[in-house]
């Protein structure tokens, strides 16, 4: 079975507005926004961290500690 797929690639441009960034900073400072951490790796295990991200299994940020 053969299917033809076409893709339209477009650039994304955004502008950061000062008011929006201040609101975001307020939420972070108040603890209402926190990043989701999947795992942390020591620097020596950076190749494993990269492999984990490339595997598509990371469900949050992958952090390398120094």
């Amino acid at each position: 079975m053969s299917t033809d797929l076409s893709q339209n690639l477009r650039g994304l441009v955004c502008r950061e507005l000062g008011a929006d960034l201040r609101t975001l900073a307020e939420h972070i400072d108040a603890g209402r926004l926190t990043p989701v951490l999947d795992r942390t790796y020591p620097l020596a295990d950076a190749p494993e961290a990269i492999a984990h991200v490339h595997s598509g299994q990371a469900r949050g940020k992958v952090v390398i500690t120094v």
Side-chain angles (χ1 to χ4, degrees), residues 17-62:
L17 300 177
D20 292 340
L21 293 175
R22 283 188 292 279
T23 300
L24 182 59
E26 289 171 6
H27 286 296
I28 293 169
D29 290 342
R32 291 188 291 267
L33 291 176
T34 55
V36 175
L37 298 181
D38 181 71
R39 296 183 187 180
T40 60
Y41 291 88
L43 181 58
D45 294 338
E48 288 87 6
I50 293 168
H52 179 65
V53 171
H54 283 279
S55 75
Q57 295 179 5
R59 297 293 176 241
K61 299 296 181 185
V62 175

